[in-house]
Amino acid sequence: MKLWSQYFIPTLKESPADAEIPSHKLLIRAGLVRKLGGGLYTYLPLGLRVMQRLSQVCREELERAGAIELAMPHLHPAENWQQGPRWAAAREIMFRADSAGDGRRGPREPEYVLGPTHEEVITPLVRAEITSYRDLPKNFFQIGTKFRNEIRPRFGLMRAREFVMMDAYSFDATDEGAIRSYHAMKAAYEAFFRRIGVTAIAVEADTGVMGGSFSHEFMVPAEVGDDDVIYNEESGYAANREKATSALVPADLADAPPAGAVEEFPTPGVVTIAALEAAPYAVPADRQFKTLVYVGDGKPFVVILRGCDELEEAKLGSLGFTVFRPATAEEIEPVLGAKPGSLGAVRGTIRNPDALAGVFADHAIRLVGNGVTGANRDGFHLRHVNIGRDLALTRFGDFRRVRPGEPDPKSGAPLKVRRGIEVGHIFKLGTKYSDKFGAVYTDDQKQNHPMVMGCYGIGISRTLQAVIEQGHDADGIIWPWAAAPFQVLVCVLDPQLPEAMDLARALATAAEQAGAEVLIDDRAERPGVKFKDADLIGFPLRLTIGGRGLKEGILELKWRAQKDIIKVPVAEAAARVAAAVKEAWAKA
RNA sequence: CGGGGUGUAGCUUAGCCUGGUAGAGCGCCUGGUUUGGGACCAGGAGGUCGCGAGUUCGAAUCUCGCCGCCCCGACCA
């Protein structure tokens, strides 16, 4: 048990000016964290206690799933990353750490980086230490600080530059084994979030820079989330916006009978879909081809969508480029022959087709029969364009952004969208890293094979904030039992009375023996201050001992999540408290 | 990095437009009164007005530059 007067809980009446969302304000007001700089936070004692609780529950569930804890350095030789498969893509988010004191200034390449994640460390380790199928599968995890130079840190712990993450890495002999490991981790995640009282749903996700074959994100539904979840409750479909698809292609008009030969017509000054939709052209957006140019690994490529659709940029990841970005007008003109606004991909109109890394078309353009597209000549467009006959396509793919209301790919029911906070992510990686680092094992036929990997992350510090975002009211935080910094607060209104403090200690002991952690508010403050602080911090169970009640032989028991106050005779109090604690653990 | 905001005591802020003594609330310290939902009275400490130039007799206030922080976008646990 701890005495409040001896502890350190700096609460605030007012929200700091730089906090915007409820959970961020409460983190600071309740004395859980303080900001050092952008995206950098000190965990105060109360905040640290919550972090430790979350970490411990996470640890228990992972160990139950067979994972093994270790701890890797936070400082990585840059060499590990340079040898890995994603140096080009990952270096932007990594903090460089160059050795100090040797008199050299600013080496071209960093000597060390601060680890944003640990594939580049664990894979060489496993390569060196595990060589036989007999030693597989293995799944290693750690809980520790990660560093990412986020372009824009946001909302307190929600997106920080330094944060606490659980990261795990599985190594299997076979693809089936890797899928088993993946599902074991998915189940462990579900158990973790359930135990700490957080509603998190698994949604299909894009693999992003990680690479790999499939992936789920664990999302906490919240208005302040960074991500859009596309879902339908009935069918159970749920996917991150970056991954979401819809069953939108009822008819395939790729080879529709041409309405005529391709024909150029002047469109002076028309550089937008909307302008072509307007009079005098009157071409509906869903009959236009939108032609976008990107640069992938240094080479331009073209993406074609319906005029009415938006590109979901993350989906370009499926094309296999390490890095890509929108092309500039200067890069586009020499290759296609026109400025943006008159671009197209009709055969014969592209000035320098050999310079292109490909022409990729979204499936939905199949809905466009005789369409209109740019002529690759400024101020001109083409009509009667047929996909099969006229477009110089490399291949089709899924590149468009799904819109709410479109049919679910599973059931055809309308898709919905809601915001979510990504608190966890699991990837089936395949052999991307084991190939690169040579992590192979020998099977019982003396044959060598690359290990099949998975990687898994839970943002512990972000989860802390998600818990608050999901559990608060106008008065403050409402901690789930298993996540609370202390489960029980004994609020002593008259700490100068020895019998009040004696009773408080006795009840605290009883609660501790039942398995709770207890804080005693022994401060010489007025009752109002104590109650406000208790509600602000949100201890799940509050016992109130006052001089007035003591005379009548009663004290009060109150759950933070409930309105009513339960009066308990002092003689029964210890037993009632112990029972309440046990009941709370049973329900948690 | 692009767009928008903002920076005055530990916290929340007024003052800035229209240049002339830096003000309040909370918190803190002292004394007293109070004591079941952020008490009251009296006294007190606490400020390079983000930093640097410039304009001016005089700059928190006007001008320029820089920096920090917040919000929107791309990125992520």
Side-chain angles (χ1 to χ4, degrees):
Chain A
M1 77 185 68
K2 291 244 184 312
L3 294 177
W4 193 315
S5 66
Q6 316 285 305
Y7 207 51
F8 182 65
I9 310 176
T11 59
L12 259 33
K13 275 190 195 173
E14 289 175 290
S15 298
D18 59 8
E20 193 83 2
I21 65 171
S23 55
H24 186 194
K25 291 177 182 172
L26 289 170
L27 269 174
I28 293 166
R29 286 192 55 209
L32 297 169
V33 302
R34 285 293 183 266
K35 183 167 74 177
L36 174 63
L40 301 172
Y41 289 85
T42 296
Y43 298 98
L44 300 178
L46 233 42
L48 180 62
R49 291 183 71 95
V50 179
M51 293 285 281
Q52 288 168 338
R53 283 194 174 284
L54 300 181
S55 299
Q56 185 54 31
V57 174
C58 185
R59 176 176 291 120
E60 286 169 15
E61 290 306 325
L62 291 175
E63 289 187 335
R64 195 196 306 275
I68 306 161
E69 187 168 14
L70 48 58
M72 291 178 264
H74 298 123
L75 196 59
H76 301 175
E79 209 184 336
N80 282 58
W81 285 82
Q82 286 154 356
Q83 289 168 359
R86 55 174 171 166
W87 171 242
R91 59 184 306 179
E92 277 183 29
I93 62 150
M94 288 197 285
F95 288 105
R96 309 160 57 124
D98 299 325
S99 58
D102 62 0
R104 283 189 295 144
R105 304 291 308 165
R108 288 207 143 281
E109 291 294 311
E111 291 178 59
Y112 300 97
V113 295
L114 291 174
T117 170
H118 282 70
E119 285 78 2
E120 278 76 356
V121 176
I122 191 88
T123 314
L125 176 80
V126 168
R127 170 207 146 91
E129 306 298 334
I130 297 179
T131 53
S132 163
Y133 74 98
R134 295 172 195 272
D135 295 324
L136 295 174
K138 280 281 180 291
N139 188 351
F140 297 104
F141 78 97
Q142 59 176 353
I143 298 173
T145 305
K146 295 285 181 283
F147 301 87
R148 290 186 194 171
N149 194 5
E150 290 293 341
I151 308 163
R152 181 156 88 87
R154 265 217 303 184
F155 295 154
L157 301 180
M158 207 73 104
R159 193 192 311 175
R161 290 204 162 98
E162 183 182 319
F163 58 98
V164 174
M165 181 166 115
M166 182 292 298
D167 50 321
Y169 308 89
S170 65
F171 296 83
D172 277 271
T174 63
D175 209 54
E176 301 76 63
I179 290 170
R180 272 196 301 278
S181 295
Y182 184 91
H183 284 111
M185 288 300 274
K186 188 159 177 275
Y189 273 41
E190 281 158 359
F192 166 70
F193 289 115
R194 188 174 57 245
R195 274 185 66 187
I196 61 164
V198 167
T199 301
I201 53 172
V203 311
E204 291 177 27
D206 183 68
T207 50
V209 178
M210 279 298 172
S213 37
F214 58 88
S215 155
H216 283 86
E217 282 175 355
F218 283 76
M219 308 290 298
V220 173
E223 282 314 303
V224 299
D226 279 353
D227 296 272
D228 283 331
V229 177
I230 310 290
Y231 71 102
N232 181 280
E233 302 97 325
E234 284 75 40
S235 72
Y237 180 80
N240 185 299
R241 155 148 277 159
E242 295 176 351
K243 175 81 176 179
T245 60
S246 66
L248 191 68
V249 189
D252 192 337
L253 303 178
D255 294 308
V262 172
E263 177 182 295
E264 191 175 79
F265 62 104
T267 51
V270 171
V271 294
T272 61
I273 301 285
L276 205 53
E277 237 183 330
Y281 311 104
V283 182
D286 62 6
R287 287 205 42 238
Q288 300 183 36
F289 296 105
K290 180 187 284 188
T291 306
L292 303 174
V293 185
Y294 273 71
V295 175
D297 296 340
K299 208 169 176 189
F301 66 92
V302 171
V303 183
I304 303 175
L305 299 143
R306 285 192 303 170
C308 59
D309 284 335
E310 294 296 321
L311 173 66
E312 181 59 61
E313 208 172 74
K315 291 183 177 178
L316 297 180
S318 66
L319 296 174
F321 297 107
T322 308
V323 289
F324 55 84
R325 58 169 173 83
T328 63
E330 292 69 37
E331 289 169 321
I332 292 170
E333 199 169 0
V335 179
L336 292 194
K339 297 188 184 68
S342 300
L343 302 179
V346 171
R347 270 193 205 91
T349 67
I350 299 172
R351 181 182 290 171
N352 186 3
D354 294 339
L356 288 176
V359 176
F360 306 98
D362 183 73
H363 290 298
I365 71 163
R366 293 172 186 276
L367 295 169
V368 182
N370 286 278
V372 170
T373 191
N376 286 330
R377 184 179 161 206
D378 289 332
F380 290 89
H381 279 76
L382 302 173
R383 63 166 70 99
H384 306 319
V385 174
N386 282 70
I387 298 164
R389 183 188 66 180
D390 304 318
L391 292 184
L393 298 183
T394 308
R395 66 175 175 86
F396 284 97
D398 172 31
F399 305 115
R400 67 185 289 277
R401 168 171 284 206
V402 166
R403 274 189 292 259
E406 290 177 1
D408 178 320
K410 279 188 171 175
S411 68
L415 288 169
K416 299 177 196 171
V417 62
R418 75 180 299 182
R419 304 287 284 172
I421 301 166
E422 182 189 351
V423 288
H425 207 150
I426 57 179
F427 299 88
K428 179 175 171 291
L429 278 177
T431 59
K432 177 176 175 177
Y433 293 85
S434 39
D435 283 337
K436 197 78 182 179
F437 287 104
V440 298
Y441 69 95
T442 308
D443 69 13
D444 59 358
Q445 306 297 311
K446 304 180 190 170
Q447 296 296 305
N448 285 351
H449 305 280
M451 298 179 198
V452 187
M453 292 175 59
C455 73
Y456 316 88
I458 291 177
I460 300 288
S461 44
R462 180 182 283 182
T463 298
L464 187 165
Q465 188 163 348
V467 171
I468 299 173
E469 194 60 40
Q470 203 167 67
H472 69 270
D473 62 16
D475 293 320
I477 302 169
I478 305 173
W479 288 110
W481 183 261
F486 292 90
Q487 284 91 16
V488 177
L489 175 71
V490 183
C491 190
V492 185
L493 299 184
D494 302 285
Q496 75 284 1
L497 298 177
E499 63 268 37
M501 283 303 294
D502 288 346
L503 178 58
R505 285 198 175 80
L507 293 179
T509 302
E512 282 182 342
Q513 282 168 354
E517 296 207 79
V518 185
L519 180 69
I520 299 175
D521 187 354
D522 62 333
R523 294 174 301 166
E525 289 286 352
R526 297 168 58 86
V529 173
K530 295 185 171 222
F531 292 141
K532 288 289 184 189
D533 273 344
D535 289 345
L536 174 63
I537 297 166
F539 307 96
L541 181 59
R542 187 183 83 198
L543 308 176
T544 306
I545 298 171
R548 186 183 296 177
L550 275 186
K551 281 182 193 147
E552 303 166 27
I554 58 160
L555 55 88
E556 290 164 11
L557 186 150
K558 182 180 179 301
W559 296 97
R560 176 65 176 83
Q562 291 169 14
K563 268 242 161 305
D564 44 306
I565 291 169
I566 304 158
K567 291 192 188 300
V568 179
V570 169
E572 297 169 22
R576 288 286 294 272
V577 168
V581 169
K582 284 178 180 149
E583 191 189 327
W585 274 122
K587 282 195 282 190

